[in-house]
């Protein structure tokens, strides 16, 4: 049938055929191939608009027709507020107290009792706005 030489030749040809190098793609054809894969239609992307709730601004009417505006900080983790009085605003941080809410920084102190009445004073104890009633 087959002799050894023809078997070796046949096995050698099969091995050479299996190791053949595929034809190389040019850089242009590689880019076109990548772009054609990227342009295939996919699921439509639906975008939802993120709506951020505006913090509620609370206005207080005080003695001598003064107004104090208190706005909670938009960051839920922070217990800070923004207090506006006489066109000046300061960010005040919460403090622990037994008689109500207290917020302060190095300039102002805002106290609010459980009845909804507030008082704004400076760091020296001078009362800026007293008997403030929530509106």
């Amino acid at each position: 049938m087959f002799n050894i030489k023809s078997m070796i030749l046949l096995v050698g040809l099969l091995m050479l055929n299996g190791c053949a190098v595929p034809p190389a793609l040019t850089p242009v054809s590689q880019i076109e191939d990548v772009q054609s894969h990227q342009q295939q239609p996919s699921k439509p992307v639906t975008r939802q608009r993120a709506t951020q709730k505006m913090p509620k601004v609370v206005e207080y009417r005080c003695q001598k027709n003064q107004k104090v505006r208190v706005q909670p900080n938009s960051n839920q983790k922070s217990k800070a507020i923004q207090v506006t009085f006489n066109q000046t605003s300061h960010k005040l941080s919460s403090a622990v107290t037994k008689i109500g809410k207290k917020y302060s920084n190095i300039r102002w102190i805002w106290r609010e009792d459980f009845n909804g009445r507030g008082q704004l004073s400076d760091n020296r104890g001078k009362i800026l706005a007293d008997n403030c009633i929530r509106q």
Side-chain angles (χ1 to χ4, degrees):
M1 292 220 201
F2 291 107
N3 63 13
I4 297 219
K5 287 184 181 180
S6 60
M7 282 294 258
I8 292 175
L9 183 63
L10 181 63
V11 170
L13 287 174
L14 288 174
M15 290 176 86
L16 285 176
N17 191 21
C19 296
V21 178
L25 295 175
T26 63
V28 174
S29 62
Q30 289 176 357
I31 292 174
E32 289 173 351
D33 188 37
V34 168
Q35 287 177 347
S36 68
H37 287 295
Q38 290 176 351
Q39 292 177 356
Q40 290 178 350
S42 62
K43 293 181 180 178
V45 177
T46 57
R47 296 184 185 209
Q48 294 178 350
R49 289 184 9 183
T51 57
Q52 184 178 21
K53 293 182 180 180
M54 295 300 294
K56 183 179 178 183
V57 177
V58 179
E59 189 169 294
Y60 289 84
R61 298 267 181 193
C62 308
Q63 288 179 346
K64 302 177 188 175
N65 285 336
Q66 296 173 320
K67 294 180 185 178
V68 175
R69 292 177 53 153
V70 176
Q71 180 178 6
N73 194 358
S74 60
N75 186 356
Q76 296 295 330
K77 293 178 183 176
S78 171
K79 299 284 184 179
I81 60 172
Q82 183 85 19
V83 176
T84 303
F85 175 71
N86 284 345
Q87 299 173 352
T88 304
S89 296
H90 289 288
K91 182 179 178 182
L92 307 179
S93 300
S94 66
V96 177
T97 180
K98 292 181 183 178
I99 58 172
K101 298 177 183 177
K102 179 180 175 185
Y103 300 90
S104 63
N105 67 2
I106 62 172
R107 293 178 187 86
W108 287 354
I109 300 169
W110 171 254
R111 290 184 182 93
E112 187 178 335
D113 63 11
F114 294 116
N115 298 329
R117 293 184 182 266
Q119 179 186 50
L120 182 65
S121 59
D122 64 6
N123 61 356
R124 297 182 182 187
K126 178 183 173 189
I127 296 174
L128 302 173
D130 194 22
N131 200 20
C132 300
I133 300 171
R134 188 179 195 154
Q135 298 296 310

